[in-house]
Amino acid sequence: MTSTSTLQAAAGAPAATRYDVQRVRAQFPALAQTIYENKPLVYLDNAATTLKPTPVVDVIAKHYAMEASNIHRGLHYLSERATQAYEGARRRVAGFINAESEAEIIFTSGTTAAINLVALGHEALLRKGDEIVISHMEHHSNIVPWQMLRDRLGVVLKVVPINDDGELILEAYEKMLSPRTRIVSMNYVSNSLGTVNPIKAVVDAARAAGAITLVDAAQAVSTRPVDVQALGCDFLAFSGHKLFGPTGVGVLYGRRERLEAMPPVFGGGDMIANVTFDKTTYNTIPHKFEAGTANIAGVIGLGRAVEYVQALGLGPIAEHEADLLGYATQRLSDVPGVRIIGTAGDKVAIISFIVGDVHAHDVGSILDQDGVAIRAGHHCTQPVMDRFGVPATARASFSIYNTRTDVDALVSAVTKVKDLFG
Amino acid sequence: MSAIDELYQEMIIEHNRNPRNFRTIDDATHTAEGFNPICGDHFHVYLTVDAEGRIEDIAFEGKGCAISKASASMMTQILKGKTETEARELFDQFHKLATGELDPDQQGKDLGKLAVFSGVSKFPARVKCAVLSWHTMSSALDHVKVISTE
């Protein structure tokens, strides 16, 4: 989505007719329910987690009902079926982000685990005084693992500033890079501001400086095509649950040579080739990083979710969400007292806002009683809240199944906040 | 009354707008800092307790939602002049009120106006907002400097 398309959407252009949102909604039974006193559910908390479509729920249920068994080690029929489904999901994910090989796809419990894995995997390569660069708009999951390394190893954590629109200040970033920069870890899309970062430029500059790059794509993969080879990043992480898949499963992509150079972090079953009390040799990638019985059903569900998104097409999805972003931005801006936090030129359909001096949690409770589910809080980005001088924001985030009617329900509920608090 | 109107009763809105005893006490005998890391609510509670264990003065300051702020404001009103023991008993009653374990019409008459917080029990996620200042007060009496609730 570009700023131009956002402007067009704001001017009132309807969503592209080829995107059939009602057909999408029919795949999400959660949306058909009414809550409280017969309020239709308006789900606008997609940046926290998305709802799950029937095909994903079904494939997980089918695994547990019909083929529950361990993978990579059973000689029997069910184990073979489960292994094929699990490795099929790995191929599907590799294709989804255009990895060169499925061996570069490691399944984790989520983005947080993936980032921690990279951090811990590089502990032995870092020396006191080495530098790690992140941005001011990172999720706590891309701050704390590096702080923990800093405190253990004496490495330096540098934070790229953002401007008043919530955009990365690229010139400041480029000046921050030095021969001591070892790792640059940055989000592609901000979960609290909706900002889309110029991630290709970030990666290019980091590579030129000789740094390892990690892209937190948790908020990106459901909104735009992500191509790891085109980006040229060393690592990329995302979660299943923000991509219409189950919770507790995620992906770490790592370029083959990086993964081969990285020591394993967790030891156990499946990650080994041979074990004696004297010596253990490790399995090849990706298995070297998948110790223990994996979240098999979760991985299979994630694979199905990726297939679902691919069938809808990220192009039409982006167009649909750009329309919602434009419409919602315009309508919310028209409500007196509403201030939108995060006004980047390039944004996904995430709107953080505050209503006068009403605390976000009060806004959240009032909207909830109208059936409108949003997130209220700091969104695991406390430094962003500090940057904008607010304790918390209300955040409405839109996805493939939301409509302009949902936006209207949001705006009507926000108006009630004004009425109640005066 | 709808659940939301029951939660945000006029008295709560009014105390949020004009919190009472919203100040510091420089020579407080007991202070504590309470925060909720999930929502960012953050209050300081100050008490001056005399030799007999009576609360001579109590005040608070900080930031939070309407429920937490109004609760803190009304807590300072009811606790002024009470003994430490009475304060702890009221906390216990208030906690039960907020979690729906106490019917304000039947029990807990001591709570008086604080009965307006009974609506909180229908919002489990907001109970912690209502009790934050009370937890902080009780920690201050226990000489615990910082507490956090989730």
Side-chain angles (χ1 to χ4, degrees):
Chain A
M1 176 197 326
T2 64
S3 52
T4 320
S5 67
T6 308
L7 286 175
Q8 282 166 352
T17 46
R18 65 201 163 98
Y19 187 84
D20 187 349
V21 71
Q22 293 307 329
R23 232 181 108 206
V24 174
R25 290 177 70 83
Q27 297 279 345
F28 290 84
L31 294 171
Q33 68 191 309
T34 53
I35 60 172
Y36 299 129
E37 287 144 22
N38 274 323
K39 299 270 169 42
L41 174 66
V42 177
Y43 188 78
L44 302 179
D45 195 17
N46 295 287
T49 197
T50 56
L51 300 174
K52 322 303 173 196
T54 304
V56 169
V57 176
D58 286 351
V59 81
I60 294 167
K62 180 179 152 239
H63 168 78
Y64 279 126
M66 301 304 293
E67 62 190 27
S69 55
N70 216 322
I71 52 170
H72 297 151
R73 57 196 80 171
L75 293 171
H76 55 80
Y77 178 82
L78 288 190
S79 174
E80 188 49 41
R81 287 261 306 265
T83 304
Q84 278 181 19
Y86 185 89
E87 291 303 327
R90 199 190 304 274
R91 277 193 298 281
R92 173 71 64 180
V93 168
F96 181 57
I97 57 171
N98 195 32
E100 198 177 308
S101 155
E102 65 205 63
E104 296 175 322
I105 303 299
I106 297 157
F107 290 117
T108 67
S109 66
T111 307
T112 299
I115 295 171
N116 276 277
L117 183 56
V118 175
L120 293 170
H122 287 83
E123 186 154 354
L125 307 172
L126 293 167
R127 298 286 171 269
K128 191 172 183 205
D130 282 349
E131 294 165 4
I132 294 168
V133 176
I134 60 174
S135 85
H136 202 118
M137 69 176 94
E138 300 308 320
H139 189 281
H140 294 163
S141 62
N142 199 23
I143 300 173
V144 183
W146 307 114
Q147 277 178 333
M148 290 163 82
L149 275 193
R150 176 194 67 189
D151 296 345
R152 275 205 301 277
L153 306 176
V155 295
V156 179
L157 187 57
K158 290 182 155 182
V159 181
V160 184
I162 56 177
N163 65 22
D164 291 344
D165 287 319
E167 294 168 321
L168 191 79
I169 302 175
L170 203 55
E171 308 80 66
Y173 162 68
E174 282 162 358
K175 282 196 195 121
M176 227 171 244
L177 295 169
S178 84
R180 294 304 301 269
T181 311
R182 294 285 173 267
I183 297 173
V184 172
S185 187
M186 217 174 278
N187 60 14
Y188 194 156
V189 173
S190 155
N191 73 303
S192 54
L193 299 167
T195 308
V196 179
N197 279 320
I199 202 69
K200 172 74 175 141
V202 168
V203 170
D204 284 349
R207 289 186 75 174
I212 291 169
T213 51
L214 167 57
V215 176
D216 168 4
Q219 216 63 60
V221 285
S222 64
T223 61
R224 62 203 46 246
V226 170
D227 180 331
V228 290
Q229 293 189 68
L231 284 178
C233 56
D234 294 299
F235 296 98
L236 182 135
F238 63 94
S239 296
H241 74 95
K242 293 192 186 194
L243 188 65
F244 317 103
T247 51
V249 65
V251 170
L252 175 65
Y253 156 83
R255 209 134 53 83
R256 178 182 285 279
E257 54 270 36
R258 290 290 182 205
L259 288 180
E260 282 172 348
M262 192 167 105
V265 172
F266 297 106
D270 228 26
M271 56 76 72
I272 52 86
N274 191 48
V275 177
T276 67
F277 283 115
D278 285 336
K279 186 179 164 51
T280 291
T281 50
Y282 302 128
N283 204 337
T284 52
I285 62 164
H287 310 291
K288 184 170 84 171
F289 297 104
E290 291 181 2
T293 295
N295 181 356
I296 301 167
V299 166
I300 293 169
L302 169 58
R304 186 67 188 84
V306 166
E307 189 183 343
Y308 179 81
V309 168
Q310 288 174 318
L312 282 181
L314 282 161
I317 288 174
E319 219 171 298
H320 173 74
E321 291 178 10
D323 173 67
L324 292 174
L325 174 65
Y327 182 63
T329 303
Q330 187 185 45
R331 289 230 43 204
L332 277 174
S333 305
D334 287 345
V335 181
V338 168
R339 175 183 155 209
I340 293 176
I341 310 279
T343 45
D346 195 359
K347 264 188 83 170
V348 299
I350 291 174
I351 304 179
S352 262
F353 62 97
I354 51 176
V355 185
D357 59 359
V358 183
H359 193 282
H361 276 205
D362 296 316
V363 176
S365 282
I366 294 165
L367 266 56
D368 175 56
Q369 285 295 303
D370 259 7
V372 181
I374 59 151
R375 171 87 182 263
H378 52 59
H379 321 294
C380 296
T381 57
Q382 281 182 354
V384 171
M385 301 296 113
D386 293 343
R387 169 67 176 78
F388 288 93
V390 292
T393 69
R395 180 188 67 186
S397 49
F398 303 86
S399 190
I400 55 175
Y401 33 69
N402 291 120
T403 63
R404 285 186 169 213
T405 310
D406 293 342
V407 175
D408 295 338
L410 167 71
V411 173
S412 148
V414 170
T415 311
K416 282 187 190 167
V417 175
K418 298 283 296 172
D419 293 345
L420 199 57
F421 278 79
Chain B
M1 203 173 353
S2 76
I4 203 74
D5 290 333
E6 230 169 275
L7 178 65
Y8 293 106
Q9 295 199 31
E10 190 51 45
M11 197 182 291
I12 292 178
I13 300 281
E14 201 276 320
H15 272 267
N16 175 53
R17 200 172 290 144
N18 304 301
R20 317 299 197 272
N21 302 306
F22 192 67
R23 56 187 163 83
T24 59
I25 300 176
D26 291 339
D27 54 353
T29 55
H30 299 72
T31 67
E33 180 180 2
F35 65 97
N36 183 323
I38 302 295
C39 60
D41 287 357
H42 191 178
F43 291 103
H44 284 85
V45 172
Y46 309 89
L47 297 118
T48 312
V49 182
D50 68 17
E52 280 76 51
R54 194 166 290 278
I55 297 167
E56 281 181 343
D57 195 10
I58 174 167
F60 81 106
E61 63 167 12
K63 279 182 179 167
C65 64
I67 304 298
S68 62
K69 204 173 197 178
S71 171
S73 169
M74 292 175 71
M75 175 187 77
T76 61
Q77 283 189 314
I78 198 170
L79 290 186
K80 209 177 277 190
K82 297 277 193 302
T83 64
E84 276 191 46
T85 313
E86 286 167 336
R88 289 180 202 278
E89 278 165 13
L90 280 169
F91 177 26
D92 184 54
Q93 284 187 31
F94 184 77
H95 198 279
K96 286 183 173 144
L97 174 83
T99 50
E101 292 165 56
L102 180 150
D103 179 351
D105 296 334
Q106 305 295 325
Q107 315 141 279
K109 296 285 186 205
D110 303 342
L111 290 173
K113 289 189 290 185
L114 292 178
V116 295
F117 286 95
S118 64
V120 172
S121 65
K122 288 189 187 137
F123 295 80
R126 306 303 299 280
V127 171
K128 62 183 190 302
C129 313
V131 299
L132 176 60
S133 59
W134 286 86
H135 270 297
T136 312
M137 175 278 297
S138 139
S139 300
L141 293 179
D142 293 339
H143 299 284
V144 175
K145 290 296 173 203
V146 181
I147 64 129
S148 126
T149 62
E150 283 181 19

mmCIF file of all heavy atoms in Angstrom, chain A residues 359 361-362 365-366 369 378 382 420-421, chain B residues 8 17 37-39 41 65-66 123 126:
data_model
loop_
_atom_site.group_PDB
_atom_site.id
_atom_site.type_symbol
_atom_site.label_atom_id
_atom_site.label_comp_id
_atom_site.label_asym_id
_atom_site.label_seq_id
_atom_site.Cartn_x
_atom_site.Cartn_y
_atom_site.Cartn_z
ATOM 1 N N HIS A 359 -8.823 7.684 29.348
ATOM 2 C CA HIS A 359 -7.825 6.612 29.296
ATOM 3 C C HIS A 359 -8.256 5.521 28.327
ATOM 4 O O HIS A 359 -9.441 5.188 28.212
ATOM 5 C CB HIS A 359 -7.646 6.024 30.703
ATOM 6 C CG HIS A 359 -6.445 5.135 30.838
ATOM 7 N ND1 HIS A 359 -6.444 3.845 30.385
ATOM 8 C CD2 HIS A 359 -5.220 5.370 31.355
ATOM 9 C CE1 HIS A 359 -5.253 3.311 30.635
ATOM 10 N NE2 HIS A 359 -4.489 4.223 31.219
ATOM 11 N N HIS A 361 -8.142 2.419 28.408
ATOM 12 C CA HIS A 361 -8.880 1.265 28.939
ATOM 13 C C HIS A 361 -10.355 1.572 29.128
ATOM 14 O O HIS A 361 -11.196 0.683 28.972
ATOM 15 C CB HIS A 361 -8.248 0.811 30.256
ATOM 16 C CG HIS A 361 -7.097 -0.097 30.015
ATOM 17 N ND1 HIS A 361 -6.666 -1.024 30.920
ATOM 18 C CD2 HIS A 361 -6.311 -0.241 28.932
ATOM 19 C CE1 HIS A 361 -5.642 -1.682 30.401
ATOM 20 N NE2 HIS A 361 -5.410 -1.214 29.211
ATOM 21 N N ASP A 362 -10.660 2.811 29.428
ATOM 22 C CA ASP A 362 -12.066 3.194 29.499
ATOM 23 C C ASP A 362 -12.679 3.153 28.095
ATOM 24 O O ASP A 362 -13.793 2.667 27.908
ATOM 25 C CB ASP A 362 -12.197 4.592 30.120
ATOM 26 C CG ASP A 362 -11.702 4.616 31.570
ATOM 27 O OD1 ASP A 362 -12.039 3.686 32.321
ATOM 28 O OD2 ASP A 362 -10.974 5.554 31.943
ATOM 29 N N SER A 365 -13.317 -0.528 27.199
ATOM 30 C CA SER A 365 -14.477 -1.142 27.861
ATOM 31 C C SER A 365 -15.780 -0.663 27.238
ATOM 32 O O SER A 365 -16.715 -1.439 27.066
ATOM 33 C CB SER A 365 -14.481 -0.798 29.354
ATOM 34 O OG SER A 365 -13.550 -1.597 30.044
ATOM 35 N N ILE A 366 -15.842 0.609 26.919
ATOM 36 C CA ILE A 366 -17.079 1.162 26.351
ATOM 37 C C ILE A 366 -17.314 0.585 24.948
ATOM 38 O O ILE A 366 -18.422 0.169 24.605
ATOM 39 C CB ILE A 366 -17.008 2.706 26.326
ATOM 40 C CG1 ILE A 366 -16.975 3.227 27.774
ATOM 41 C CG2 ILE A 366 -18.185 3.295 25.568
ATOM 42 C CD1 ILE A 366 -16.560 4.668 27.918
ATOM 43 N N GLN A 369 -18.546 -3.044 25.089
ATOM 44 C CA GLN A 369 -19.971 -3.229 25.390
ATOM 45 C C GLN A 369 -20.842 -3.021 24.163
ATOM 46 O O GLN A 369 -21.987 -3.444 24.120
ATOM 47 C CB GLN A 369 -20.393 -2.260 26.502
ATOM 48 C CG GLN A 369 -19.893 -2.688 27.861
ATOM 49 C CD GLN A 369 -20.503 -4.007 28.324
ATOM 50 O OE1 GLN A 369 -21.702 -4.153 28.407
ATOM 51 N NE2 GLN A 369 -19.659 -4.983 28.603
ATOM 52 N N HIS A 378 -0.469 -0.442 25.939
ATOM 53 C CA HIS A 378 0.769 0.037 25.305
ATOM 54 C C HIS A 378 1.213 -0.867 24.161
ATOM 55 O O HIS A 378 2.203 -0.598 23.505
ATOM 56 C CB HIS A 378 1.879 0.217 26.333
ATOM 57 C CG HIS A 378 2.120 -0.995 27.197
ATOM 58 N ND1 HIS A 378 2.461 -2.221 26.667
ATOM 59 C CD2 HIS A 378 2.054 -1.158 28.536
ATOM 60 C CE1 HIS A 378 2.622 -3.077 27.666
ATOM 61 N NE2 HIS A 378 2.358 -2.472 28.815
ATOM 62 N N GLN A 382 6.117 0.039 24.947
ATOM 63 C CA GLN A 382 6.129 1.164 25.886
ATOM 64 C C GLN A 382 6.983 2.348 25.402
ATOM 65 O O GLN A 382 6.574 3.489 25.574
ATOM 66 C CB GLN A 382 6.595 0.694 27.264
ATOM 67 C CG GLN A 382 5.468 -0.006 28.016
ATOM 68 C CD GLN A 382 5.868 -0.440 29.421
ATOM 69 O OE1 GLN A 382 7.013 -0.316 29.813
ATOM 70 N NE2 GLN A 382 4.915 -0.959 30.152
ATOM 71 N N LEU A 420 -20.331 9.861 27.255
ATOM 72 C CA LEU A 420 -20.249 9.419 28.645
ATOM 73 C C LEU A 420 -19.294 10.289 29.458
ATOM 74 O O LEU A 420 -19.571 10.654 30.593
ATOM 75 C CB LEU A 420 -19.800 7.956 28.677
ATOM 76 C CG LEU A 420 -20.052 7.166 29.936
ATOM 77 C CD1 LEU A 420 -21.523 7.146 30.305
ATOM 78 C CD2 LEU A 420 -19.556 5.731 29.762
ATOM 79 N N PHE A 421 -18.160 10.608 28.856
ATOM 80 C CA PHE A 421 -17.127 11.345 29.587
ATOM 81 C C PHE A 421 -17.229 12.851 29.395
ATOM 82 O O PHE A 421 -16.524 13.597 30.037
ATOM 83 C CB PHE A 421 -15.726 10.854 29.198
ATOM 84 C CG PHE A 421 -15.316 9.612 29.941
ATOM 85 C CD1 PHE A 421 -15.795 8.370 29.559
ATOM 86 C CD2 PHE A 421 -14.479 9.691 31.038
ATOM 87 C CE1 PHE A 421 -15.440 7.229 30.250
ATOM 88 C CE2 PHE A 421 -14.116 8.554 31.736
ATOM 89 C CZ PHE A 421 -14.595 7.321 31.351
ATOM 90 N N TYR B 8 -19.663 2.963 34.731
ATOM 91 C CA TYR B 8 -19.281 4.378 34.769
ATOM 92 C C TYR B 8 -20.396 5.210 35.383
ATOM 93 O O TYR B 8 -21.001 6.033 34.710
ATOM 94 C CB TYR B 8 -18.933 4.863 33.361
ATOM 95 C CG TYR B 8 -17.695 4.218 32.820
ATOM 96 C CD1 TYR B 8 -17.762 3.231 31.830
ATOM 97 C CD2 TYR B 8 -16.439 4.575 33.306
ATOM 98 C CE1 TYR B 8 -16.618 2.628 31.345
ATOM 99 C CE2 TYR B 8 -15.291 3.980 32.818
ATOM 100 C CZ TYR B 8 -15.379 3.011 31.841
ATOM 101 O OH TYR B 8 -14.258 2.414 31.359
ATOM 102 N N ARG B 17 -12.836 13.132 37.091
ATOM 103 C CA ARG B 17 -12.619 14.495 36.599
ATOM 104 C C ARG B 17 -11.998 15.375 37.694
ATOM 105 O O ARG B 17 -11.099 16.167 37.414
ATOM 106 C CB ARG B 17 -13.956 15.072 36.130
ATOM 107 C CG ARG B 17 -13.816 16.240 35.190
ATOM 108 C CD ARG B 17 -15.170 16.635 34.617
ATOM 109 N NE ARG B 17 -15.690 15.638 33.678
ATOM 110 C CZ ARG B 17 -16.989 15.322 33.561
ATOM 111 N NH1 ARG B 17 -17.899 15.897 34.332
ATOM 112 N NH2 ARG B 17 -17.378 14.425 32.670
ATOM 113 N N PRO B 37 1.598 -3.205 35.096
ATOM 114 C CA PRO B 37 2.450 -3.191 33.910
ATOM 115 C C PRO B 37 1.677 -3.459 32.618
ATOM 116 O O PRO B 37 2.102 -3.052 31.545
ATOM 117 C CB PRO B 37 3.461 -4.316 34.178
ATOM 118 C CG PRO B 37 2.829 -5.181 35.209
ATOM 119 C CD PRO B 37 1.918 -4.299 36.008
ATOM 120 N N ILE B 38 0.524 -4.089 32.728
ATOM 121 C CA ILE B 38 -0.241 -4.391 31.514
ATOM 122 C C ILE B 38 -0.875 -3.137 30.928
ATOM 123 O O ILE B 38 -0.847 -2.902 29.733
ATOM 124 C CB ILE B 38 -1.324 -5.460 31.807
ATOM 125 C CG1 ILE B 38 -0.692 -6.731 32.359
ATOM 126 C CG2 ILE B 38 -2.154 -5.751 30.586
ATOM 127 C CD1 ILE B 38 0.227 -7.475 31.421
ATOM 128 N N CYS B 39 -1.456 -2.308 31.794
ATOM 129 C CA CYS B 39 -2.169 -1.145 31.251
ATOM 130 C C CYS B 39 -1.458 0.170 31.502
ATOM 131 O O CYS B 39 -1.839 1.187 30.954
ATOM 132 C CB CYS B 39 -3.588 -1.081 31.792
ATOM 133 S SG CYS B 39 -3.683 -0.938 33.571
ATOM 134 N N ASP B 41 -1.265 1.842 34.353
ATOM 135 C CA ASP B 41 -1.752 2.629 35.486
ATOM 136 C C ASP B 41 -0.642 2.715 36.531
ATOM 137 O O ASP B 41 0.042 1.725 36.805
ATOM 138 C CB ASP B 41 -2.980 1.963 36.129
ATOM 139 C CG ASP B 41 -4.212 2.107 35.247
ATOM 140 O OD1 ASP B 41 -4.112 2.768 34.194
ATOM 141 O OD2 ASP B 41 -5.260 1.543 35.609
ATOM 142 N N CYS B 65 -6.719 4.960 34.465
ATOM 143 C CA CYS B 65 -8.034 5.054 33.848
ATOM 144 C C CYS B 65 -9.032 5.635 34.852
ATOM 145 O O CYS B 65 -8.715 5.837 36.020
ATOM 146 C CB CYS B 65 -8.490 3.681 33.385
ATOM 147 S SG CYS B 65 -8.709 2.520 34.741
ATOM 148 N N ALA B 66 -10.242 5.877 34.375
ATOM 149 C CA ALA B 66 -11.268 6.495 35.224
ATOM 150 C C ALA B 66 -11.568 5.628 36.436
ATOM 151 O O ALA B 66 -11.760 6.148 37.543
ATOM 152 C CB ALA B 66 -12.542 6.720 34.403
ATOM 153 N N PHE B 123 -16.970 -6.732 34.850
ATOM 154 C CA PHE B 123 -15.864 -6.496 33.911
ATOM 155 C C PHE B 123 -14.576 -7.061 34.523
ATOM 156 O O PHE B 123 -13.777 -6.313 35.083
ATOM 157 C CB PHE B 123 -15.701 -4.996 33.648
ATOM 158 C CG PHE B 123 -16.861 -4.367 32.953
ATOM 159 C CD1 PHE B 123 -17.998 -4.010 33.651
ATOM 160 C CD2 PHE B 123 -16.826 -4.141 31.579
ATOM 161 C CE1 PHE B 123 -19.087 -3.438 33.011
ATOM 162 C CE2 PHE B 123 -17.908 -3.562 30.930
ATOM 163 C CZ PHE B 123 -19.044 -3.213 31.639
ATOM 164 N N ARG B 126 -11.355 -5.288 34.500
ATOM 165 C CA ARG B 126 -11.217 -3.985 35.127
ATOM 166 C C ARG B 126 -11.108 -4.057 36.648
ATOM 167 O O ARG B 126 -10.924 -3.026 37.306
ATOM 168 C CB ARG B 126 -12.397 -3.072 34.733
ATOM 169 C CG ARG B 126 -12.607 -2.944 33.225
ATOM 170 C CD ARG B 126 -11.364 -2.436 32.507
ATOM 171 N NE ARG B 126 -10.943 -1.107 32.942
ATOM 172 C CZ ARG B 126 -11.501 0.016 32.517
ATOM 173 N NH1 ARG B 126 -12.472 -0.016 31.655
ATOM 174 N NH2 ARG B 126 -11.053 1.185 32.940
#
